[in-house]
Structures are given as C-alpha cells and as structure tokens.
Amino acid sequence: MTLSSSNSKRSSAKHKTRYERKCRRMDTFFATSKLDYSESIKDVLSNFSVPQCEAEPFAKRPRREPTMKPKAKLRLTETGVSASLDVAQGERVPLFLSDLQDLLLYAQLGSHSPCVPRWCQLDKYNQLVHTTVLVVENVSLYHFSSYESFFPYLSAKFCNKLEFIPSAAYKMDMVQDLATLPLTVAQTVKLTSVYGSLDQTSSENSNGFDKIKGDKFPRTDLLLSGWQMVEENYPLPIKGLMNGKYVGYVLTKDSYKDVTPFSPMFGIDCEMCLTTIDLELTRVSIVDESGSVIYEELVKPEAPIKNYLTEYSGITAKMMKHVTKRLKDVQEDLRQILPPDAILVGQSLGNDMHALKMMHPYVIDTSVIYNITGDRKRKAKLQVLAEQFLQKKIQTNTKGHCSVEDSLASLNLTKHKLQQNIFYGDAVMSKIAKQVRQYPHLESSKYVTSFLREVTRMEKTSLVVGLEDITARYCHYTFRDKIVTKKICCISEVGNQSVINRLCESGAHYSFNIGHIRFNETELDNDPSKLFKKVDDWIQQIDKSICTPALRVVIFGGQRDSGNGCFFVSLKKCP
C-alpha cells in the first residue's frame, strides 16, 4: 500500500465522521422546532440518547485568604540621609524645622497638603491614626550625642535621627516657627478675592511691605533662604564643618544686624588662578549701589601659580609680580568695610565666597533670581543675562574678564529686577506671574497662616499641651481672629511632668498632638544625666499611650550658641 492511498483513506474517514455529526445536529434541530414550548427541558432531552461517562468529582477551589492591608512606610530620601546622625558630622547637611512641618502636614493631609517633604517619603499616610509630637526646648544635638546612653528607649525605638538648624540660629521663636506657615499662592489669591487686599485681611501686618525708593517690592524677598544656600553650595557656619571642610573660613562680621528692605547692597566678584594646590583667589572687586568701586585688590595665593587662566581671569604674570597682599589681609579688610546688614550680590556667589573663605548670611544670587532656561539646574551666564535684560554687552575683552565689570553687572541686574516684580526674568515662575498680574499683592506677601488650622482642615482634630507661656504663644498664632475652633484644643499646665501626663491622658482623642516642654540652663547644668533619663521615660510613657498605627516625633529644639537641634521620627505599627 502506498503512502498516498493511506492518506486518502484517512481523509475519507474524517469526512464521513463529520458528515454523520452534522446529520445528527440537523435531526436534533428539526425535532426541537416541532416541540411545544410548554414541555420541560427534561422531556426534550429524554428523547435523545446521551453517551454516559464517568465524571470526575468536582474539585473545590481553595478559599482565597484576604490580602493584608497595606501598611504605612517611612523612608529617607538622599536629602534625609545627608542629615542623618548616622552620617559623619563633617559631612552632614542639616535640615530646617520647616522640613519637619512638611512631613507633619503630609501625614495629616496627604495629597491635599500644600507641600511634600523633600527629605523623606511617606507611603500610605491615610493608614495613620495619630501623629504625636513632643518638643523639648533647650536640649540640643550636643546633649543627645554626649548623653546618648541615657536615652535607651529613644535610641532603640526611633530609627530616623536627623539634625536640623534651630529657630534661634536665624532669630526666630521656636513656637512661631512651628505654629506658622507661609501663605500659599492659592490662599493668597483666595484672601485677595474676598477682602480686596492682604492689608485689609490683617491689620497687624499692614506695615509689612516696606519698600525702598525705586523698588517695587522689598529686596529682602530676593535673599537666598538657608535651604537655598545649602542647595547652591554656599559655605555656612554649621557646627562640625568648621573644623573640617571649612577650616580657615571666617565670618564677614562678629555680629550682624537684622536685614531690612533698606539694607545696602554690594556687588562682588572674584577671579581665581590655578596653583599647585587648587584654584586660589587672585583678585576681588566690590562696588556699591551707586556704581562706585569701594574695594579692588590683587591677592597673592599661598601656593605658586601654575596657570593664570588669563582668558577667564584676566590675570597675567606681570600684574602679579609685585603683589604682596594675602587672603587673610583681604578677609580682615572686608570685615572692616562691610556693614553688619550688608547684602552681597553676585553671579553664582557661592564660588566667590569659597574663594574668599568667608561666610555671610545675606546674599542675592543673580543665577538664582534670573532663569531663562526653565530649569533650575541650568543656569544662564552673566554675559547672557546682561545682554538680554540690561541690553549691555560685557566680557567682550579677549584678554579675560574684569571683576569690576562683572560685579557691577550683577548689582545692576538685581536693581533692574527690583523695579519690575519678583517673577521678572524667571521662566520657572512664568505661570504664577499671570496670577500676580491679577492679584498685585501676591508678589510681596509677608503673611503667614496657622499651622494647626491647616492641619485640621480635613476633618482632623488637634491638641496642644504645654507650659502656660508656651501655650499662650500657640494660641496667639492660631486664634488671631479670636475665633476659637472646637477642632483645636490648647491646654496649659504647670510643670513638665503635668504636660506629659495630660498629653498621655487626652492624646488618644485627637488626630494630631503636640506636647511642648522646656528646661532652663540651671536644670541642664545640675544633673543632666538624671534629667535625660527622665525625658527618655517620658517618651516611653507617651509612646505607650499612642494608638497604632501612628507617626511619632521627638524634637530637641537646640540652643542658639551651643549646638543645632535634632529630631527623631518613627512609625509605631500595629502589634
């Protein structure tokens, strides 16, 4: 038998089977169509024979266990890790109290919060039942580091330990710093729409918009904040870094005056040459607001010059031949020349301050206040900014830059912006600028809103327990309009122990709690070890009274002259 004949027979058998199957289906269809619909399906099926087969027993699907409810999680970002006490003191970059505020707001409001913490990430915030904060004034990071063995519970249960710059360091009251928030754009627009202006909203701050002649808004609005100075790599007098990274750096003054809209501005620019060590200062120029040069000096670096970088610095070997002035001499000169409330202005001024090895609290950086790229990390050159906004060409000399010309250009750019509005020349803020044109008072807002009112606006409640004068300050910043809300309860107690006891008794009834205690210098000097052991016991007592899951925070407020503060953050999870 051939292969072709075998395949042919198989094909015929398949066709026959298909044909018989179709015939049976047709017979069934015609039989069904003749039946009366009143007959039951059983009667219909009984007319047809169905081949019987042994059915396997039905395997019951196993019951699916309910999945566990996702839990809240807290983890540090790169910024938070940099501020952690696990990082060496010389490499640590402290946070601010406003950073902690961002977390507390986000834990209560989530996506409705006006700000998101930059130093940590909180997942499943809506699972949290309580947020409890214990503030301990006049205890600093130094105290915790020196007496850490007396804080066994705090060290073991609070895994995130971070350093922050205390409010006293920038002349702020800690209660005010914690109990107030800057007005957001949306809040400012709303208030302006209702009351017509912010001046009419609060009579107490009606004189907040001091302006110097010719300025459309206070020049203090252009000052870099502490956070911006950290981001822009400005040298700061941070404890720990002064003996490491910033050895040899000095302050521009021993003491400073409060900066105001009337404080004088000085343009400053430095030129550097490459020595056998690194880039070192070789020229510094300072001009005042009238455009006069008040300081101009060549500086002899400590190490031999390897490359004059003439095409950039404008410095030549001939210019430096008879120069004898050293960096220390320049530092002393500037300490004598600059007033205690001077505002220094420059392009990427942080580099110049590092070249001078000096630190100054009041600075305006034209690379920050002007942005034409739409990206904060991409900065325009001073030459481009001067040509676009001042219609003036600078740095055209092929023999290098002139520090006097550059310092004057930076100062003129700042003065030009002060005659426009705070969003002028800033592509990043272009959308907000449209709102500013509709609400003129928005650009010069000096007003704040209550932190506790913000926390309780989403059906939340808050409790504040503290010593009498402390609670009075919380009330001042919360109930300025004299309208007391049931959502916020402020209780005064006599003595720290009474504050702790009341917080433990009443905290479970509120979603956000603050307990604020304070120690004086005498208490800290007499027997600190016994005192800190008591604080650790109080923390444990509060922790046991908290319902889970909860966010728990302990703040050591720091001291103005003897150390930064630190705060401890942890989630208390369900057992």
Side-chain angles (χ1 to χ4, degrees), residues 484-499:
V484 179
T485 171
K486 293 182 180 179
K487 291 184 176 182
I488 304 171
C489 178
C490 295
I491 302 175
S492 299
E493 292 290 345
V494 179
N496 293 331
Q497 182 66 63
S498 299
V499 172

Side-chain angles (χ1 to χ4, degrees), residues 221-233:
D221 285 357
L222 297 180
L223 293 175
L224 293 190
S225 65
W227 174 78
Q228 286 176 307
M229 293 179 76
V230 170
E231 291 289 309
E232 298 294 331
N233 193 32

Side-chain angles (χ1 to χ4, degrees), residues 397-408:
N397 193 336
T398 56
K399 295 182 179 180
H401 297 181
C402 173
S403 54
V404 173
E405 182 182 48
D406 290 353
S407 59
L408 188 59

Side-chain angles (χ1 to χ4, degrees), residues 5 68 137 198 473 496 562:
S5 62
M68 293 183 64
E137 274 198 69
L198 291 178
R473 296 207 301 277
N496 293 331
S562 58

Side-chain angles (χ1 to χ4, degrees), residues 431-462:
K431 292 183 179 180
I432 298 179
K434 295 178 181 178
Q435 294 180 326
V436 173
R437 286 192 287 271
Q438 297 175 1
Y439 305 94
H441 293 287
L442 181 64
E443 65 187 68
S444 56
S445 175
K446 286 291 184 182
Y447 297 99
V448 293
T449 186
S450 166
F451 172 77
L452 293 176
R453 284 184 179 273
E454 191 70 20
V455 163
T456 56
R457 68 183 173 90
M458 298 291 293
E459 301 302 323
K460 304 284 186 176
T461 55
S462 178

Side-chain angles (χ1 to χ4, degrees), residues 95-338:
L95 299 174
F96 294 90
L97 198 57
S98 58
D99 289 311
L100 180 58
Q101 275 185 322
D102 293 344
L103 172 63
L104 299 178
L105 277 173
Y106 189 79
Q108 293 293 297
L109 306 178
S111 58
H112 298 283
S113 173
C115 42
V116 177
R118 65 187 179 98
W119 59 277
C120 67
Q121 183 171 337
L122 178 61
D123 298 330
K124 303 300 178 184
Y125 68 92
N126 54 342
Q127 301 296 327
L128 298 176
V129 177
H130 293 285
T131 296
T132 299
V133 181
L134 175 64
V135 183
V136 186
E137 274 198 69
N138 293 331
V139 176
S140 67
L141 173 60
Y142 165 77
H143 293 121
F144 175 75
S145 302
S146 303
Y147 298 90
E148 187 171 358
S149 59
F150 294 95
F151 295 100
Y153 190 85
L154 178 63
S155 299
K157 296 297 182 179
F158 290 74
C159 52
N160 300 305
K161 309 173 182 68
L162 303 101
E163 181 180 357
F164 77 97
I165 297 175
S167 307
Y170 41 93
K171 299 179 181 179
M172 277 280 285
D173 172 51
M174 187 173 186
V175 174
Q176 180 183 2
D177 209 11
L178 187 59
T180 60
L181 291 169
L183 284 178
T184 64
V185 172
Q187 290 169 330
T188 307
V189 169
K190 182 178 180 180
L191 290 173
T192 307
S193 301
V194 175
Y195 298 99
S197 71
L198 291 178
D199 291 336
Q200 297 175 5
T201 306
S202 175
S203 59
E204 183 175 345
N205 285 337
S206 59
N207 297 321
F209 300 158
D210 293 329
K211 301 173 187 174
I212 200 165
K213 187 176 181 181
D215 293 353
K216 296 295 180 65
F217 61 96
R219 56 187 58 185
T220 49
D221 285 357
L222 297 180
L223 293 175
L224 293 190
S225 65
W227 174 78
Q228 286 176 307
M229 293 179 76
V230 170
E231 291 289 309
E232 298 294 331
N233 193 32
Y234 277 76
L236 294 172
I238 298 173
K239 188 174 181 180
L241 297 184
M242 296 299 292
N243 297 325
K245 184 177 179 180
Y246 296 145
V247 171
Y249 283 64
V250 299
L251 296 172
T252 52
K253 304 296 287 187
D254 291 329
S255 60
Y256 296 92
K257 289 183 179 179
D258 291 341
V259 66
T260 71
F262 303 95
S263 296
M265 297 189 300
F266 298 90
I268 185 170
D269 187 70
C270 298
E271 302 296 347
M272 283 79 79
C273 291
L274 182 63
T275 69
T276 54
I277 299 177
D278 202 349
L279 287 174
E280 290 192 62
L281 178 71
T282 50
R283 185 181 182 183
V284 56
S285 301
I286 302 179
V287 297
D288 62 16
E289 289 189 58
S290 67
S292 302
V293 179
I294 64 169
Y295 191 78
E296 167 72 9
E297 287 291 346
L298 293 171
V299 187
K300 185 176 182 179
E302 297 297 328
I305 296 177
K306 187 168 63 174
N307 188 340
Y308 287 90
L309 304 175
T310 305
E311 59 180 318
Y312 303 108
S313 67
I315 304 297
T316 63
K318 184 178 180 180
M319 294 171 61
M320 299 296 295
K321 188 174 182 180
H322 301 293
V323 176
T324 59
K325 189 175 283 286
R326 296 285 189 173
L327 176 61
K328 289 185 178 180
D329 302 322
V330 173
Q331 291 176 339
E332 188 57 36
D333 290 343
L334 298 190
R335 282 170 57 85
Q336 296 295 326
I337 292 172
L338 295 174

Side-chain angles (χ1 to χ4, degrees), residues 405-420:
E405 182 182 48
D406 290 353
S407 59
L408 188 59
S410 297
L411 187 59
N412 287 335
L413 280 167
T414 303
K415 291 167 66 178
H416 178 63
K417 178 157 184 162
L418 287 169
Q419 295 172 5
Q420 309 301 322

